[in-house]
Every structure is written in C-alpha cells, then in structure tokens.
Amino acid sequence: MYYSKGNYESLARPEKPQGVERKSAYLIGSGLASLAAAAFLVRDGQMDGKRVHILEKDSLAGGACDGYEYDNTGFVIRGGREVDNRYECLWDLFHSIPSLETEGASVLDEFYWLNKHDPNSSLTRATVNCGEDAHTDGKFALSTKGMQEIMALFFTPDEALYNKRISQVFSDEVLNSNFWLYWRTMFAFENWHSALEMKLYIKRFIHHIGGMPDFTAVRFTKLNQYESMILPLVKYLEAHDVQFHYGTKVENIIFDTKTDKKAATRIDIIRDGLEDHIDLTENDLVFITNGGCVENSSIGNQNTPAPFNYEIKKGGGWDLWRKIAAQDPSFGHPDKFCCDAEQSNWMSATVTTLDDRIPPYIQKICKRDPFSGKVVTGGIVTAKDSNWLLSWTFNRQPHFRNQPKDQLVGWIYALFTDKPGNFVKKAMRDCTGKEICMEWLYHMGVPESQIEELAEHSANTVPCMMPYITAFFMPREAGDRPDVIPAGSVNFAFLGQFAETTRDTIFTIEYSLRTSMESVYTLLDIDRGVPEVWGSTYDVRDLLNAASKMSDGKKITQMELDPKQKAVLGEVLKKISGTDIEKLLREYQLI
C-alpha cells in the first residue's frame, strides 16, 4: 500500500489482484468502516461479492451513522456528521456509489450539487439569556498569549504529548475564549481530553479555521446520514451480492501469533442464539472494527430517561477487543479508552415538533424559514450560558424521507450530563425526553409559563445516552491503538476509530474510510494509491490565512509583544520588504 495525490492515481482503475478469486473476506460489524471495506474489496479488489461476508449482531447496518424511526418512540438520530470537502478517501468511494435520490447521479454528485446550490452557513452561532444572540460575531477572542499557546501546540512533537490532557497545554487564555467555545462544541472535546488529538485536529483542519465561527467550513447531506450515505452503500453492496449476516454476534477471534507471521485462524460466533465458529485460512481475510463509540448507548422516550449503561457488556465491541488484545501486545490497549465513562460520555436527544407552536422560536434564532427545504441553523447553536453546555441544530427539512411535511426533526446535545439544568434542576442523564425538551425551550426563549405544555404536547423528544462516544479522545500514546495492519499480519486488519493510521484524525467518517481503504489495499496488494491526507498543514497560504483569522484581523504589529519581540519583528519586516514574503503577508492581511 502506498499514498498518492493528484488525479493520475485517483482516476486509475487497478488491475485485478493476483489470486483474489481464491480469497474470501469476513467483516466484523456493519458500521461505515466495514461497509466501505466491503465496497473497496468489490470495486478495487474485484472480489466476488458472494465471497464477502458482513457479520452484524443487530438487524440493521450503519453502526454510529444511524437515523431510524422506532415504533412507539419516534425519530432517532444519535449523532451527526459534519462533512469536509477534503475527505479524499470518502469521495473516492462515494463517486462510485449510485444515489438513491437522483437517477443517474452518484452520492458525491448529489452532495456536491446540493451544497453548491445551498451552501452551508450559520447566522447565529451562540445564544445567551434565553435565546438572545451572544454576538460572538465570528470572532475567536484570543489574546496574544492564547494564540501563542495554540501555535506552541501545533509545533509540539507527538511524543511530547503522549498521555497529556488539553488542560495541561492550554491556560484560561484559550479555555475562556470563543475559540474554545466553537471548538469543543463542534468537535465534542472536553478540557480533560487528549492534547495529542487536539494538536492533530488543528493540523488536519487548519484550512477550515476561518470557517469555524459560522460553519461555512462544513457541509451536510440532504437527509440524515443513514438514508443519505449508509443506505446507498448497502444497496450497492447488495447489488454486488455481498452477504449480510444479521443476528450474528462475534464473540472472539482466535489468532496464531507464535511465529514471525500473525494469522487469524477462527471466528467464534453466536448465530440465531447458537454457538458456532468459522475456521480461517490465510486466504480468508478478516476486517475487525475494534471498540465502538456508540457501544452501550441507550435510548429513552418522551417519559423515560435513557439509562447510563457504563459497564462493559459481554459480547460487545469493547469485550471483543479485550479478548483480541489479550492475545498479542500489538493488538492495542482497549482499557485506555473504556476505563472511565464519566470522561467519555455525552447525551443527545432527537426532537420532533408536532404542531406550529415551536418552529417560530427556531426561526427567530436561526433567521431562516425551517420549512424551506434549505439550510436551517447551518450547524449547532450553542446556549453559551447553559449548565449542560447544550447545543442544538436543525438540518435541511425533511430530515427523514417519510417525515410529515408539517413536522421538523432536530437534534440536541450536551457535553455536561452530570450538571443540573438551568430550568429543569436535574442532571441531563436523569431527564426524560420531555424534560430535556423543557430545558431546550427555556434556552430558546419560550415563556416559562408555556414551557412544560409545549414540551408535552408540541414535541416528541427521545433522549440517548452514549457512555463511550468520545472514548477515542482519552489521553493515549503510541501502541494504545493497533495499527491498521499489525506487523506480521497475513490475513487481518483493524478498522475504524480505534485503529492507528498516520496523520488523519478520529471522530470523522474520513478516518473510517481511510482505515478501510488502507487495509483492503494492503491485504490484497492493490496497485492503486490511497489518497494522501489533504496537505493544508504544509501549505504556507493556509497557515497564514489561519493565523489571520485566529487573530480576528489584527496585524502582526498590533499584537501584544514585549520590547525584545517588537525589535526582532521590526528587523524581520525590514528584511522582507519588497519580497514575495511581504506580498503574502499583505495578501492575508497580517501586515
């Protein structure tokens, strides 16, 4: 496997890998990483779909990328995905997946046209005082010291950040700024999360820093992520005869690691309630999604809280990884991530409006008609003074294909599930859907006398607790996640958010796609380049633009510098006078 950039590699169709007709593949789980790996096996590996087996314990594919209407409960979306136009592996695949909405178009075509005609942006990023605009006004509000802390992190070697927390590298100069408000609510970072992941995120998305305050940096699908991305991918795989084995729980995978080669030799399963196993040869490829960010998640309903199920359950993704990791040190350390659910949980809630009484409050804040079919909030709106640090969003409506035209489906989430609310004096984790809706309506500016009645009769709200949703942000070091292809592996790979690959960042659908592509291309020796991570972190133009945006337009000479720094800056500006460097600095409004 090798990396490439440019369309010479990306447009090439690879030759059929040698011996692929004798190989089979088993994919553990049916999340996006597994589905993508199956698609790469079929499209680029040219493997017969009948020899590709997806083993899924539930009755539906998609993993964390969900979007369902549950009987007697309502619409549920556990999370949402902000999509980057520079997700190279994602778009490499989805330009081949036919759209289910637009005849003759791919998923990429549909997505591209949609976001060209209806570009994303937010008109209100944050509120205070029950729905008043917080007037963050696109400003990061970073002091010179705060910007220096961010720059220092950017240049710190990964090794120096192993097992460190964000609070160890940032002071209140950063943590009390608008920058941190935008960042932690957009990406779900907590102060105690990994400083290394923080650094990797800054480097990965440096080209989008200027679009963070108003979400012009991101794009969204037409419908929920399940119907817009997962379902077309499943239909593509089914059309190529890929075998889906629902109701099949993988209990363990047995490896032979006694020689210089490592091989998966058996998959232990429970199928239809009965114990069984699949014997493997080196021609049987195994793709393992280890761990799971939505493992142990639970939903409540309008009148019942979602239980906080933090104990690792037998037969789940964490339990499986523990069994695998016990067989070889190179298979990672799952307990580094799933050891403390208090530091990795947050909650979401799906709210469906049932009549015309709540939508005007949404429209007042987002400044758009939510029934227009176009961008509504353009991303999350954060209640800046919320004890829960509550955020909410309504994407383009309808959000579900079968959603009634007079209803809106939106999403609420909060980072602090153990704090009492401002209106509902209870921790979010103890609240029913109705109570979560009441807290949201309070921050929307609904008169207090009307809040309970509207929450009960004008909305249906479904809470969801996810104990391990940010487990991958826990402080870590090299080796805690297994390599996509561990050294010596002949027939297995690790996929998804808890596998290790270079330069890309977790908690993105691109990371799932990248690990899938790398694993398939390596195990089948496919002669086609895996697209490099977008190189903005090495592009001086993107770096200068980010510096300008983060300083809120301040010139270098306007920054708070000590006399020695000012003297050095003066000498530098003299030396670059009349050069292309001066032109670049002027172009990006730094001087």
Side-chain angles (χ1 to χ4, degrees):
M1 190 276 291
Y2 58 93
Y3 295 114
S4 66
K5 54 188 174 182
N7 57 18
Y8 177 72
E9 294 282 357
S10 66
L11 296 178
R13 181 172 178 266
E15 296 177 287
K16 187 173 183 178
Q18 187 174 1
V20 69
E21 63 279 350
R22 298 190 300 274
K23 297 182 184 292
S24 297
Y26 295 89
L27 300 108
I28 313 305
S30 66
L32 180 59
S34 275
L35 298 176
F40 289 129
L41 286 165
V42 169
R43 189 194 73 176
D44 300 330
Q46 299 166 63
M47 184 179 284
D48 183 347
K50 293 176 182 174
R51 302 179 71 87
V52 178
H53 303 271
I54 297 176
L55 311 179
E56 171 55 55
K57 66 180 185 295
D58 295 323
S59 59
L60 199 64
C65 293
D66 59 1
Y68 317 131
E69 183 181 14
Y70 289 91
D71 291 340
N72 304 316
T73 300
F75 293 109
V76 176
I77 37 178
R78 288 182 292 188
R81 301 294 175 268
E82 296 154 340
V83 183
D84 184 349
N85 60 323
R86 297 306 179 189
Y87 282 176
E88 304 300 296
C89 297
L90 178 76
W91 302 127
D92 186 289
L93 175 61
F94 275 100
H95 91 271
S96 300
I97 307 301
S99 165
L100 300 182
E101 299 290 318
T102 309
E103 187 175 353
S106 70
V107 171
L108 172 57
D109 293 333
E110 174 188 89
F111 184 90
Y112 179 81
W113 298 334
L114 174 70
N115 284 278
K116 280 287 186 176
H117 295 314
D118 184 28
N120 193 70
S121 67
S122 166
L123 300 179
T124 304
R125 177 59 181 85
T127 61
V128 291
N129 301 327
C130 301
E132 295 178 11
D133 194 328
H135 289 295
T136 52
D137 299 327
K139 303 294 186 184
F140 287 101
L142 281 163
S143 65
T144 299
K145 184 175 183 294
M147 287 186 285
Q148 288 171 338
E149 289 178 2
I150 294 171
M151 187 178 295
L153 179 64
F154 186 92
F155 288 113
T156 300
D158 291 359
E159 295 78 9
L161 298 171
Y162 287 167
N163 299 315
K164 282 192 174 181
R165 301 179 183 274
I166 290 169
S167 56
Q168 293 176 266
V169 297
F170 287 162
S171 70
D172 287 346
E173 299 287 331
V174 173
L175 299 178
N176 290 336
S177 68
N178 285 348
F179 169 84
W180 186 237
L181 174 74
Y182 302 147
W183 191 279
R184 69 174 173 175
T185 55
M186 181 177 180
F187 296 122
F189 274 95
E190 305 271 19
N191 294 23
W192 55 81
H193 280 157
S194 167
L196 173 59
E197 298 299 351
M198 182 74 201
K199 173 210 168 174
L200 295 175
Y201 256 70
I202 292 173
K203 295 188 74 171
R204 178 65 169 86
F205 297 113
I206 197 71
H207 55 289
H208 279 325
I209 291 293
M212 276 183 56
D214 62 0
F215 288 114
T216 53
V218 298
R219 292 152 177 79
F220 294 96
T221 53
K222 180 179 180 181
L223 298 169
N224 62 83
Q225 57 210 357
Y226 177 79
E227 290 183 284
S228 283
M229 302 191 86
I230 297 297
L231 197 54
L233 187 49
V234 169
K235 295 298 184 185
Y236 171 87
L237 295 173
E238 289 175 344
H240 286 82
D241 297 321
V242 169
Q243 305 295 296
F244 284 83
H245 303 273
Y246 296 110
T248 302
K249 181 189 291 186
V250 175
E251 288 283 291
N252 199 3
I253 302 170
I254 307 303
F255 298 86
D256 180 1
T257 62
K258 296 183 177 66
T259 65
D260 58 340
K261 296 192 299 184
K262 295 184 177 77
T265 60
R266 192 179 78 230
I267 304 174
D268 292 335
I269 62 174
I270 296 179
R271 182 170 15 216
D272 299 325
L274 300 175
E275 292 185 1
D276 200 353
H277 68 273
I278 302 168
D279 290 321
L280 305 169
T281 70
E282 290 188 9
N283 276 327
D284 296 311
L285 310 181
V286 183
F287 298 87
I288 308 156
T289 302
N290 52 307
C293 64
V294 292
E295 194 71 33
N296 282 50
S297 65
S298 60
I299 64 171
N301 59 39
Q302 176 83 341
N303 300 305
T304 308
F308 187 11
N309 300 324
Y310 57 85
E311 292 187 7
I312 302 302
K313 56 188 178 184
K314 187 177 184 299
W318 294 111
D319 181 54
L320 175 61
W321 188 11
R322 281 175 168 172
K323 291 174 182 175
I324 290 171
Q327 298 179 57
D328 192 271
S330 68
F331 296 166
H333 307 117
D335 285 320
K336 201 68 173 281
F337 304 98
C338 64
C339 63
D340 190 353
E342 286 293 347
Q343 297 194 28
S344 61
N345 79 85
W346 46 256
M347 287 191 69
S348 69
T350 309
V351 59
T352 303
T353 66
L354 303 178
D355 57 33
D356 61 0
R357 292 189 288 176
I358 294 177
Y361 292 97
I362 298 169
Q363 184 165 350
K364 180 181 178 182
I365 290 175
C366 75
K367 303 179 177 67
R368 294 186 177 111
D369 176 5
F371 291 101
S372 69
K374 295 181 178 293
V375 166
V376 184
T377 60
I380 56 172
V381 179
T382 297
K384 189 177 179 181
D385 52 355
S386 162
N387 291 347
W388 295 351
L389 195 56
L390 180 149
S391 299
W392 57 276
T393 182
F394 283 78
N395 289 332
R396 298 178 181 95
Q397 302 292 314
H399 198 49
F400 286 80
R401 190 176 284 107
N402 63 334
Q403 179 182 325
K405 291 183 178 180
D406 59 348
Q407 295 183 1
L408 302 173
V409 174
W411 187 69
I412 302 166
Y413 103 103
L415 290 178
F416 305 143
T417 68
D418 59 338
K419 308 294 184 187
N422 301 75
F423 180 75
V424 178
K425 306 298 184 180
K426 296 169 65 175
M428 187 180 186
R429 64 179 62 170
D430 298 325
C431 287
T432 65
K434 172 188 166 182
E435 290 169 331
I436 292 172
C437 186
M438 289 168 63
E439 184 74 9
W440 171 60
L441 293 176
Y442 170 78
H443 288 291
M444 293 273 286
V446 174
E448 291 188 20
S449 61
Q450 300 176 28
I451 285 176
E452 184 169 7
E453 202 276 330
L454 285 182
E456 183 167 356
H457 298 293
S458 294
N460 180 62
T461 307
V462 183
C464 178
M465 164 57 82
M466 292 169 282
Y468 299 105
I469 188 63
T470 55
F472 30 62
F473 285 159
M474 296 296 282
R476 65 173 180 87
E477 61 183 295
D480 287 337
R481 302 188 304 211
D483 289 341
V484 170
I485 307 289
S489 168
V490 295
N491 71 336
F492 66 93
F494 291 96
L495 309 178
Q497 306 299 316
F498 297 95
E500 185 72 44
T501 187
T502 59
R503 283 192 54 207
D504 219 335
T505 47
I506 42 81
F507 210 4
T508 64
I509 53 179
E510 174 70 357
Y511 199 87
S512 292
L513 268 290
R514 181 168 296 282
T515 58
S516 300
M517 199 174 194
E518 290 182 2
S519 65
V520 171
Y521 281 30
T522 301
L523 291 181
L524 283 183
D525 195 21
I526 293 174
D527 187 8
R528 180 176 183 262
V530 173
E532 275 271 18
V533 173
W534 185 250
S536 52
T537 192
Y538 303 114
D539 190 323
V540 68
R541 297 164 299 182
D542 284 314
L543 299 179
L544 292 174
N545 184 59
S548 176
K549 299 298 185 185
M550 288 179 63
S551 66
D552 294 331
K554 287 182 186 175
K555 312 298 182 188
I556 298 173
T557 51
Q558 297 173 314
M559 295 183 182
E560 300 170 9
L561 302 173
D562 62 40
K564 185 177 179 180
Q565 290 171 325
K566 285 183 178 179
V568 172
L569 177 60
E571 289 301 313
V572 170
L573 292 178
K574 287 179 185 177
K575 289 185 178 181
I576 65 170
S577 178
T579 69
D580 280 345
I581 296 175
E582 181 189 30
K583 286 173 63 177
L584 273 171
L585 291 175
R586 290 192 184 282
E587 180 180 347
Y588 291 99
Q589 301 176 18
L590 286 165
I591 60 174

